Amino acid sequence: MKNDGNASEPRTGGRTARTGVWFVGARGSVATTAVAGCAAVSAGLRPPTGMVTETAPFDGMGLPPLPSLVFGGHDTAHSPLHKRAEHLTDAGVLPHGLAPAVRAELQAADEEIRLGGPLPGDTRGDEELIADFAADLTSFRVRNALARVVVVNVSSTEPLPEPDAVRLPPSSLYAAAAVRAGCPYVNFTPSTGLRTPALTEAAAVGALPHAGRDGKTGQTLLRAALAPMFVQRALEVRAWSGTNLLGGGDGAALADPGAAAAKNAGKERVLADTLGHTPQGEVHIDDVPVLGDWKTAWDHIAFDGFLGTRMILQTTWQGCDSALAAPLVLDLARLVARAHEAGLSGPLPELGFYFKDPDGGPSGLSEQFTALLSFADRLRKGR
Ligand SMILES: NC(=O)c1ccc[n+]([C@@H]2O[C@H](COP(=O)([O-])OP(=O)(O)OC[C@H]3O[C@@H](n4cnc5c(N)ncnc54)[C@H](O)[C@@H]3O)[C@@H](O)[C@H]2O)c1
């Protein structure tokens, strides 16, 4: 199960080179769970359950070992990470006793968090914000003598941008800063990030690998696993409807219809890509603050069988959002760091396994996993 990652680890002067992971939204639930989880697994306090890169097929491919990851980030909030970790413990996301056990690692990451933007009343224009964010990234890399820094967007979901908007959305300001500072980039949210022609082109020119967007952790993971079953068994899906109940910061952000529309577009894409058509039915997201990070997702699938016989499948997924997301965020940071080290650049469709709205590649979960395994083999061979 454990990936020793020894075979081709980057080394400097006999020491394993350290890799920076820079979270945009560093004080949020997903980022805090990732920092605490990385520390807990590194110290052997908890198993790496849910981390695909810690399973046997990923052994020996030169991924940065978990203890070599150094965390920092941007956030517009000020709450200290250890306080956030305490809240996550009270909410049942982190196990009791874990936050105090990894307090030093939370403190170290906290010291590397810089104020993001744009802040209310911010007079800085886009260019100034990009320059400031890029300077923070470069300073983090130099100060910690890091081999590279992977920027991972886990900030609040933005509304879909207006077509005539003159300013870049914040996610794209951070993505532009990542490109300027020479950092590979991962977008774990549905926000625009690097997905503009100008930024994608700039990432290609800078020989930077990137992956996105919007982590596939719950309802959409289930959809990506189930939709191919209907296709392979020649069953006709007529309608696929879904409702999500969740709280926490994500629930509050997704109460904004614009942000929910950005999220739902990715969920629907999974069905359209796999089934070859968009079935009837909608996805709804309801903010229920008392649920915190615990999400209930209900799907109702109406399908036809032999001779048009009508049938229904219903599924109920009850998951802890950040516990589902954090191991994937760590996987992605390690895989994209390794891709950068191997000289890969541009979008990485082989990482579609992790995303609702990937940069191409197959759409069924099983085919996506096969593509990920081929990618691991390729990197193991150094290509
Ligand atoms: N299962 C999952 O948890 C999951 C799955 C897929 C995608 N995501 C996405 O991951 C993101 C994070 O989720 P979360 O539960 O940690 O949310 P959260 O609300 O707990 O954290 C978001 C953080 O982003 C910060 N932020 C907001 N605007 C910012 C800005 N302009 N600059 C810097 N920081 C800013 C907030 O202050 C907050 O600390 C969301 O966009 C969510 O949709 C989560």
Side-chain angles (χ1 to χ4, degrees):
M1 187 68 177
K2 188 99 176 80
N3 173 12
D4 60 14
N6 283 333
S8 55
E9 278 171 18
R11 294 187 165 268
T12 46
R15 284 187 309 119
T16 301
R18 299 193 308 161
T19 299
V21 180
W22 187 269
F23 288 129
V24 180
R27 299 195 184 281
S29 300
V30 172
T32 307
T33 307
V35 173
C38 182
V41 174
S42 297
L45 299 174
R46 290 275 152 177
T49 313
M51 283 195 68
V52 180
T53 53
E54 284 289 302
T55 59
F58 298 85
D59 279 352
M61 61 174 285
L63 293 174
L66 290 176
S68 76
L69 302 183
V70 179
F71 295 97
H74 281 118
D75 206 302
T76 47
H78 297 273
S79 52
L81 281 196
H82 74 92
K83 282 278 169 217
R84 189 75 198 214
E86 280 168 22
H87 289 143
L88 289 168
T89 306
D90 292 343
V93 179
L94 295 179
H96 277 284
L98 189 87
V102 299
R103 171 113 186 198
E105 288 86 348
L106 290 169
Q107 180 64 31
D110 211 301
E111 285 165 14
E112 292 292 356
I113 298 177
R114 299 293 174 266
L115 194 56
L119 301 162
D122 211 320
T123 54
R124 292 173 293 177
D126 285 0
E127 175 51 37
E128 207 178 337
L129 285 160
I130 294 168
D132 286 352
F133 297 157
D136 289 337
L137 286 166
T138 304
S139 151
F140 174 61
R141 180 172 56 216
V142 171
R143 195 171 49 254
N144 292 288
L146 302 171
R148 71 202 83 251
V149 175
V150 183
V151 174
V152 184
N153 181 19
V154 283
S155 173
S156 313
T157 297
E158 297 164 354
L160 287 168
E162 297 294 335
D164 52 355
V166 272
R167 297 282 306 257
L168 285 174
S171 63
S172 296
L173 298 173
Y174 289 112
V179 172
R180 188 168 300 180
C183 299
Y185 176 83
V186 175
N187 190 359
F188 202 75
T189 83
S191 305
T192 309
L194 204 62
R195 272 241 191 123
T196 73
L199 286 176
T200 309
E201 167 67 19
V205 171
L208 296 169
H210 54 92
R213 70 184 170 177
D214 200 7
K216 184 160 72 193
T217 57
Q219 182 178 53
T220 319
L221 176 69
L222 203 57
R223 287 176 166 216
L226 284 178
M229 175 192 78
F230 288 103
V231 174
Q232 288 157 8
R233 278 295 171 97
L235 297 168
E236 182 66 26
V237 174
R238 302 169 65 238
W240 198 314
S241 316
T243 288
N244 294 271
L245 311 177
L246 81 158
D250 204 20
L254 295 173
D256 172 352
K263 179 69 89 179
N264 288 340
K267 287 178 186 273
E268 280 163 11
R269 179 178 163 188
V270 172
L271 293 185
D273 284 357
T274 313
L275 301 175
H277 69 281
T278 306
Q280 275 182 23
E282 290 179 5
V283 184
H284 296 272
I285 303 179
D286 289 354
D287 179 29
V288 184
V290 296
L291 295 183
D293 233 41
W294 292 83
K295 182 195 278 179
T296 296
W298 173 67
D299 268 21
H300 181 284
I301 306 151
F303 65 98
D304 281 354
F306 194 45
L307 310 179
T309 309
R310 299 197 161 176
M311 302 181 220
I312 302 287
L313 170 68
Q314 295 184 56
T315 62
T316 307
W317 172 279
Q318 290 183 288
C320 175
D321 252 1
S322 298
L324 290 162
L328 307 187
V329 162
L330 294 171
D331 275 354
L332 284 164
R334 301 172 86 191
L335 288 162
V336 174
R338 179 71 186 96
H340 186 238
E341 186 197 23
L344 302 187
S345 65
L348 300 173
E350 300 91 338
L351 300 187
F353 178 66
Y354 289 98
F355 295 107
K356 291 187 187 75
D357 182 18
D359 295 307
S363 51
L365 192 66
S366 169
E367 291 79 9
Q368 289 176 334
F369 186 57
T370 303
L372 179 65
L373 293 178
S374 309
F375 182 67
D377 266 348
R378 201 172 138 203
L379 288 176
R380 189 176 290 106
K381 290 170 190 148
R383 287 179 285 125

